[in-house]
């Protein structure tokens, strides 16, 4: 009967939600902002210690310009909203690339907002290849050493990953931190987030036998 | 409407199956051998190009001795059985460790058996930390370079991962090759394998929108 210390959030289905609601694909992302802050407040109440949001990836940046502009704007807005909460916030991603929004550069160093509280990691222009590109050949199989060498080294092992939008895949989400994660998939699209989604995921998680591969 | 080129198999639930059938936990592994060869023959018929079996991991070796002995024996036997088929077989895992069975050392170089055919990878004493320990700091985010530097570099990207035994996690299974994999979970324990399991997974996979993160 355990609570996850660290939850990973894959907020998928924004574009499909937009199409379903008669909008252009790129108009879906804005409707994902309210769910993001709602989820944060729920996790805060529940005492979750760390929360990682999958913003956008280096793969996503290959999409048509109206989409890349829209999801970049939504991520900037999401970080701004979260920085008004009590949280210790870090944006993680390839900030050397022109696809990384300049206005988020100050957030690539972890900052405490309000009274601190939940550790939030927000992935922006994140790529698994970028994450692993900093791993050195240490000639060691020491796990802590490997994790310390990731570009995402400030993000800890994830207990539970929740994905909205029906897909059953990681899509490049933090391959090392997710080696032992439990996956909970929700059919609804992310903009249709309901508090029950999180509660169902946590209820399911409590009945998993967590062995860390043992 | 696509077929996966490469399927990853996580044959979980052998111990729970044994308990359910009134046996000691360690007696379950032997009952996983027949499903393994059955699945292979089905994949051969269906034209699957590459198949990766999760044998045992460096995590698993921390279990009580009767279990580690039993699953090691079962893996040796499975490799022996597969080497009688038409396949190009490679055992992948940390062979520098005393937990790696000596009799499988000759298989750590890929070998063609019969007329060749399916590429089979069999993970034995595999650990994600061992796999990543060979990655060099190339100062590049080139994906091919990263994959070439893995200890499991001879294993390609996995399209579909099927896990038996109800768990929804990777348990350290090939973190890099599985970044874009679709996951199909089966409630039945591995020794209760039925051909329908594979057929259901393939049917489900055909309806997935494969984007490779895009």
């Amino acid at each position: 009967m355990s609570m996850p210390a660290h939850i990973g959030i894959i907020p998928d289905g924004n574009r499909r939600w937009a199409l379903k609601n008669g909008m252009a694909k790129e108009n879906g992302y804005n409707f994902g902002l309210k769910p993001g802050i709602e989820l944060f407040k729920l996790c805060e109440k529940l005492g979750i210690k760390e929360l990682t949001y999958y913003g956008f990836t280096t793969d996503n940046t290959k999409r048509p310009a109206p989409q890349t502009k829209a999801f970049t704007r939504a991520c900037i807005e999401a970080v701004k909203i979260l920085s008004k909460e009590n949280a210790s916030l870090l944006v993680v991603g390839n900030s050397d690339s022109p696809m990384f929004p300049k206005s988020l550069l100050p957030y690539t160093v972890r900052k405490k907002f309000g009274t601190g509280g939940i550790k939030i990691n927000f992935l922006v222009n994140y790529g698994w290849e970028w994450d692993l590109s900093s791993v050195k050949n240490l000639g060691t199989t020491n796990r802590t050493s490997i994790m310390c060498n990731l570009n995402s080294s400030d993000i800890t092992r994830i207990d539970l990953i929740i994905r909205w939008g029906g897909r059953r895949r990681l899509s490049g989400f933090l391959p090392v931190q997710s080696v032992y994660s439990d996956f909970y998939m929700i059919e609804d699209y992310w903009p249709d987030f309901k508090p029950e989604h999180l509660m169902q995921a946590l209820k399911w998680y409590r009945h998993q036998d967590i062995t860390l591969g043992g």
Side-chain angles (χ1 to χ4, degrees), chain A residues 18 70 142 144 150 212-213:
Chain A
N142 183 283
T144 311
L150 294 171
L212 302 184

Side-chain angles (χ1 to χ4, degrees), chain A residues 6-212:
Chain A
H6 183 180
I7 302 180
I9 300 293
I10 305 185
D12 194 28
N14 298 282
R15 293 183 297 171
R16 286 174 281 156
W17 183 91
L19 289 179
K20 194 189 73 176
N21 286 279
M23 299 173 201
K25 281 181 178 180
E26 59 268 24
N27 292 335
Y29 298 111
N30 261 329
F31 293 87
L33 290 171
K34 205 169 145 255
I37 184 70
E38 245 185 281
L39 178 96
F40 167 82
K41 287 183 189 258
L42 267 170
C43 287
E44 191 176 43
K45 233 184 260 178
L46 291 161
I48 302 300
K49 293 199 167 46
E50 188 170 351
L51 201 54
T52 299
Y53 292 94
Y54 212 13
F56 73 85
T57 65
T58 54
D59 286 314
N60 297 156
T61 61
K62 290 159 201 156
R63 293 181 187 165
Q67 290 178 36
T68 61
K69 275 181 198 166
F71 66 62
T72 303
R73 262 199 307 267
C75 284
I76 295 170
E77 189 58 27
V79 170
K80 209 195 281 179
I81 293 170
L82 290 167
S83 72
K84 288 174 187 151
E85 300 296 321
N86 294 316
S88 169
L89 181 58
L90 180 70
V91 168
V92 176
N94 185 355
S95 56
D96 292 338
S97 142
M99 299 312 284
F100 190 92
K102 284 201 174 49
S103 63
L104 292 183
L105 283 171
Y107 297 90
T108 57
V109 175
R110 191 175 291 282
K111 263 194 202 117
K112 202 174 144 177
F113 292 95
T115 59
I118 305 190
K119 189 175 163 186
I120 301 182
N121 315 301
F122 202 100
L123 305 188
V124 170
N125 201 38
Y126 173 88
W128 62 268
E129 74 290 347
W130 167 80
D131 202 356
L132 293 174
S133 67
S134 57
V135 174
K136 289 178 192 71
N137 191 345
L138 299 159
T140 173
T141 55
N142 183 283
R143 292 175 174 189
T144 311
S145 303
I146 293 171
M147 292 192 82
C148 285
N149 272 284
L150 294 171
N151 268 322
S152 65
S153 60
D154 200 27
I155 303 180
T156 69
R157 185 173 58 72
I158 302 177
D159 299 302
L160 171 64
I161 295 174
I162 313 178
R163 181 172 186 142
W164 278 259
R167 306 276 185 242
R168 304 192 203 168
R169 53 178 86 139
L170 285 171
S171 306
F173 183 71
L174 295 166
V176 177
Q177 286 89 342
S178 64
V179 287
Y180 300 125
S181 307
D182 278 282
F183 309 137
Y184 190 82
M185 315 306 191
I186 289 167
E187 288 301 314
D188 288 342
Y189 299 138
W190 171 244
D192 285 331
F193 169 81
K194 294 182 196 71
E196 297 91 272
H197 291 155
L198 177 66
M199 303 320 283
Q200 283 157 9
L202 291 174
K203 190 180 163 190
W204 172 80
Y205 182 80
R206 275 196 292 279
H207 294 95
Q208 300 311 303
D209 180 28
I210 310 302
T211 62
L212 302 184

